[in-house]
Amino acid sequence: MKWDDMRVFLAVARAESLSGGARALRLDPATLGRRVSRLEDALGAVLFVKSPQGYALTSAGERLMSRAVEVETAIRGARDDASGTQEGLTGQIRIGAPDGCANYLLPQVCSAICAENPGLEVQIVALPRVFNLSKREADMAITVSPPSTGRLTSQHLTEYHLHLMASREYLRAHPITALDQVKDHPVIGYIPDLIFDAELDYVSEIGGPRAALASNSVSVQINWARSGAGLVIGHDFARPFAPELERVLPDQFSLKRSFYLVRHADDRNIPRLGRFAAELVARVPSEVARLEAR
């Protein structure tokens, strides 16, 4: 079995379509289709269930996926060893993170890391959902809960705090002096059926009023509050980027949550990823503390 066949298989499996795999490899979708069929014939196994919705892995495909990722990891490690990239942070690293972390924490942290490592290219993927590291959607991810399944490792990255917030203009027009008054105001929050982690169900912490304005994006929620639309439970580390906002009843209501750095277990032998992870562990907590202090 040739690595090039595995590369094609992995691209289609991760994109869950021929067109997506073709874009990743810069090949023609028809060519990828022929390559997949040839691989299935060679193995004597059906690797994908093909449908109008895309390509889904069969049980045989899932087993091959696990092995192919191991081979890919070994090749990447060997390439780093041979090229000497283990001596410095170079190449491309993709990190996935929740919307708030990706918008308000990672840009300045990753910029500082890149400034000290000119050969490094960092890609931040901001998605309001759990990342699939087994499909290599990212090299590592930041989550709000540690993973409970899969061949993944996690370490506590930092704690952060949230408070009720509203614009100064809104609070001048609608003074709030007690927590039980919150139910009488528009609340901005997540779309309930798109909350992908129970740790993000902030609104239930104040008695569960239905969000009058809802979005799966923290940035949208913050901008609604900035415009004077109502109350939001916002990250303290986002406040420096939203000077219009003030904390509401901070002595009566606050939340504390955590970020975790999650990596695939097979990546522990790739020094470049280990050093980048160590940089995040060292820098993210101090950046949270700096922003929250402001």
Side-chain angles (χ1 to χ4, degrees):
M1 187 178 298
K2 298 178 181 179
W3 165 242
D4 202 41
D5 292 332
M6 290 297 93
R7 195 168 64 96
V8 167
F9 167 74
L10 285 171
V12 176
R14 287 166 178 162
E16 299 182 346
S17 70
L18 286 180
S19 58
R23 284 193 298 272
L25 296 179
R26 298 181 182 179
L27 293 174
D28 180 76
T31 300
L32 254 66
R34 290 192 295 270
R35 295 280 296 275
V36 168
S37 295
R38 189 173 69 191
L39 179 60
E40 289 180 324
D41 290 341
L43 294 175
V46 177
L47 302 176
F48 296 99
V49 176
K50 294 97 170 176
S51 73
Q53 288 71 42
Y55 275 45
L57 288 171
T58 62
S59 58
E62 291 282 1
R63 292 193 296 272
L64 182 60
M65 181 80 174
S66 176
R67 295 298 187 185
V69 168
E70 291 178 6
V71 173
E72 180 186 52
T73 300
I75 289 175
R76 291 171 66 186
R79 184 178 60 223
D80 285 354
D81 289 342
S83 64
T85 54
Q86 70 273 19
E87 300 301 326
L89 274 172
T90 61
Q92 184 186 98
I93 294 177
R94 177 178 293 180
I95 179 169
D99 182 49
C101 178
N103 276 284
Y104 301 114
L105 284 179
L106 286 184
Q108 53 270 29
V109 169
C110 292
S111 293
I113 297 173
C114 288
E116 297 175 4
N117 299 274
L120 179 64
E121 176 187 338
V122 175
Q123 297 179 346
I124 299 173
V125 184
L127 285 178
R129 62 172 175 80
V130 176
F131 282 81
N132 191 328
L133 294 183
S134 296
K135 289 188 176 182
R136 296 302 182 184
E137 292 183 336
D139 294 300
M140 59 189 70
I142 293 176
T143 66
V144 293
S145 293
S148 57
T149 60
R151 299 189 66 252
L152 304 172
T153 64
S154 68
Q155 65 185 113
H156 185 264
L157 190 57
T158 187
E159 291 181 340
Y160 62 96
H161 300 85
L162 305 103
H163 286 88
L164 276 168
M165 300 179 188
S167 70
R168 293 184 184 86
E169 179 182 352
Y170 183 88
L171 292 175
R172 280 197 297 266
H174 310 280
I176 301 174
T177 58
L179 197 57
D180 61 4
Q181 297 173 356
V182 169
K183 65 181 184 299
D184 300 322
H185 296 263
V187 174
I188 302 162
Y190 282 99
I191 300 171
D193 60 335
L194 294 183
I195 295 177
F196 63 91
D197 191 301
E199 292 292 297
L200 301 178
D201 189 11
Y202 307 139
V203 173
S204 65
E205 301 278 354
I206 53 174
R210 184 176 181 83
L213 298 168
S215 173
N216 63 342
S217 166
V218 170
S219 299
V220 172
Q221 295 174 30
I222 291 290
N223 284 326
W224 255 330
R226 293 176 67 186
S227 70
L231 302 173
V232 68
I233 299 176
H235 303 71
D236 282 7
F237 61 69
R239 277 190 67 215
F241 302 93
E244 302 89 345
L245 297 184
E246 288 188 358
R247 295 195 302 180
V248 178
L249 306 174
D251 57 336
Q252 297 184 42
F253 179 84
S254 66
L255 297 177
K256 182 167 67 175
R257 294 290 190 268
S258 292
F259 285 132
Y260 296 85
L261 182 62
V262 180
R263 300 174 60 194
H264 198 282
D266 292 335
D267 290 347
R268 63 185 179 274
N269 295 321
I270 301 180
R272 180 173 58 93
L273 295 181
R275 276 190 294 278
F276 184 79
E279 290 284 351
L280 291 178
V281 171
R283 294 172 186 261
V284 169
S286 59
E287 182 63 12
V288 170
R290 183 184 73 85
L291 293 173
E292 289 191 347
R294 292 176 61 185

